[in-house]
């Protein structure tokens, strides 16, 4: 079940406040879901690998839904955590963060089409959007005064050459990670929701 922004916020708050209690979940792998040509030994190996590599835990929450006629229906809402999904989310986020930092570091500021604050901001926003790291990476565009000593007149510099000082403003980026946002996003790593209108007797958690 896709999670809306509201659902994510509610889950994060519940997890922060330790309101969701997980129980270990042993997933039953249906043999009927495996390819028909797989023999018994392969099926056992597949089951064993699944158990070893992916650990699940579940918490069942109350969820009541009202239909158009005003009738209340109790739906089973299962919050499930998978260890492999958790690991995948963490690795993907870290990869995106590192790629964002690398791209920002390699920007050639104060040259060509990156000479103004507006141009730089547009490029920065494009990178953050590409890797979906806008909230996790903070970028400040700093303006700095640079002093340049420039020779007066033409010719090769000598002991009597005179210079003048010119000033110009250049831009630089200050990039940092928003650890609070990253930490909050990590709360939902490995979490997904499943719903069912069947009772536990009809369809156990292990078979969902």
């Amino acid at each position: 079940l896709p999670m809306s922004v509201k659902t994510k916020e509610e889950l994060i708050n519940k997890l922060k406040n330790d309101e969701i209690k997980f129980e270990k979940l042993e997933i039953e792998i249906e043999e009927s879901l495996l390819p028909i040509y797989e023999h018994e030994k392969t099926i056992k190996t597949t089951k064993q690998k699944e158990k070893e590599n992916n650990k699940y835990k579940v918490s069942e929450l109350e969820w009541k839904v009202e239909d158009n006629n005003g009738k209340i229906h109790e739906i089973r809402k299962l919050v499930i955590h998978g260890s492999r999904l958790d690991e995948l989310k963490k690795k993907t986020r870290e990869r995106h963060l590192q790629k964002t930092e690398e791209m920002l570091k390699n920007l050639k500021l104060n040259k060509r089409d990156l000479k103004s604050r507006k141009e730089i901001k547009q490029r920065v926003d494009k990178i953050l959007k590409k890797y979906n790291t806008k909230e996790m990476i903070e970028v400040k565009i700093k303006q700095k005064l640079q002093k340049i000593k420039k020779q007066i007149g033409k010719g090769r510099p000598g002991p009597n050459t005179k210079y003048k000082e010119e000033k110009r403003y250049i831009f630089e980026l200050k990039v940092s990670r928003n650890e609070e946002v990253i930490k909050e996003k990590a709360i939902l790593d490995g979490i997904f929701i499943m719903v069912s209108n069947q009772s536990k007797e009809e369809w156990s958690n292990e078979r969902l």
Side-chain angles (χ1 to χ4, degrees):
L1 180 70
M3 284 191 277
S4 64
V5 174
K6 183 180 178 181
T7 301
K8 287 182 179 180
E9 289 175 350
E10 289 175 351
L11 269 181
I12 287 173
N13 288 330
K14 286 180 180 292
L15 289 165
K16 276 183 175 180
N17 298 324
D18 202 26
E19 295 176 19
I20 295 180
K21 304 297 182 182
F22 285 103
E23 296 178 0
K24 187 177 179 182
L25 178 63
E26 294 291 344
I27 298 292
E28 294 178 4
I29 301 176
E30 297 287 342
E31 292 188 14
S32 60
L33 298 179
L34 295 169
I36 194 169
Y37 54 79
E38 288 194 347
H39 50 73
E40 186 178 353
K41 183 179 179 181
T42 306
I43 290 174
K44 287 181 179 178
T45 304
T46 304
K47 286 184 177 182
Q48 188 63 33
K49 283 183 178 179
E50 179 67 20
K51 286 185 177 181
E52 290 175 356
N53 297 334
N54 202 1
K55 306 297 181 184
Y56 290 97
K57 51 186 181 179
V58 63
S59 179
E60 188 163 340
L61 305 180
E62 291 184 3
W63 191 25
K64 294 182 179 180
V65 180
E66 184 177 350
D67 63 23
N68 294 332
N69 298 319
K71 186 177 179 181
I72 302 297
H73 302 271
E74 291 189 4
I75 306 293
R76 293 173 67 198
K77 184 177 184 179
L78 301 176
V79 181
I80 301 173
H81 176 273
S83 60
R84 284 173 64 185
L85 180 59
D86 187 311
E87 183 181 358
L88 178 63
K89 287 281 188 179
K90 283 180 169 56
K91 285 183 177 179
T92 301
R93 181 170 51 251
E94 181 58 31
R95 185 172 68 250
H96 286 182
L97 286 168
Q98 289 183 9
K99 193 64 180 178
T100 300
E101 291 167 336
E102 180 185 347
M103 294 286 285
L104 292 171
K105 183 180 178 181
N106 291 334
L107 285 179
K108 305 296 183 183
L109 303 185
N110 309 299
K111 296 180 180 179
R112 295 186 180 180
D113 56 345
L114 292 176
K115 290 182 178 180
S116 70
R117 183 182 292 272
K118 182 180 178 181
E119 291 170 334
I120 295 170
K121 186 178 185 307
Q122 287 176 342
R123 186 69 62 85
V124 168
D125 289 344
K126 186 176 180 180
I127 293 172
L128 295 177
K129 183 178 180 181
K130 179 179 180 180
Y131 295 103
N132 195 27
T133 51
K134 187 174 182 179
E135 296 176 339
M136 296 183 285
I137 295 285
E138 292 182 349
V139 183
K140 294 181 180 179
I141 303 173
K142 298 286 188 177
Q143 194 174 37
K144 182 180 178 182
L145 180 63
Q146 186 181 59
K147 296 179 180 180
I148 303 172
K149 192 168 73 170
K150 193 171 182 180
Q151 179 180 326
I152 299 175
K154 298 180 180 180
R156 183 175 295 179
N160 298 320
T161 301
K162 294 183 179 181
Y163 297 88
K164 64 179 179 179
E165 187 178 77
E166 291 186 352
K167 298 178 181 179
R168 68 168 183 171
Y169 286 98
I170 60 171
F171 294 98
E172 57 185 21
L173 296 181
K174 183 180 179 182
V175 181
S176 60
R177 293 190 181 191
N178 190 329
E179 297 296 345
E180 286 299 316
V181 172
I182 294 172
K183 185 178 179 181
E184 186 156 299
K185 285 185 176 292
I187 292 174
L188 292 182
D189 285 352
I191 299 287
F192 60 97
I193 293 176
M194 297 187 76
V195 297
S196 174
N197 60 356
Q198 292 183 307
S199 66
K200 280 189 177 182
E201 290 71 27
E202 294 173 309
W203 198 261
S204 66
N205 291 350
E206 287 76 11
R207 297 185 64 197
L208 284 171

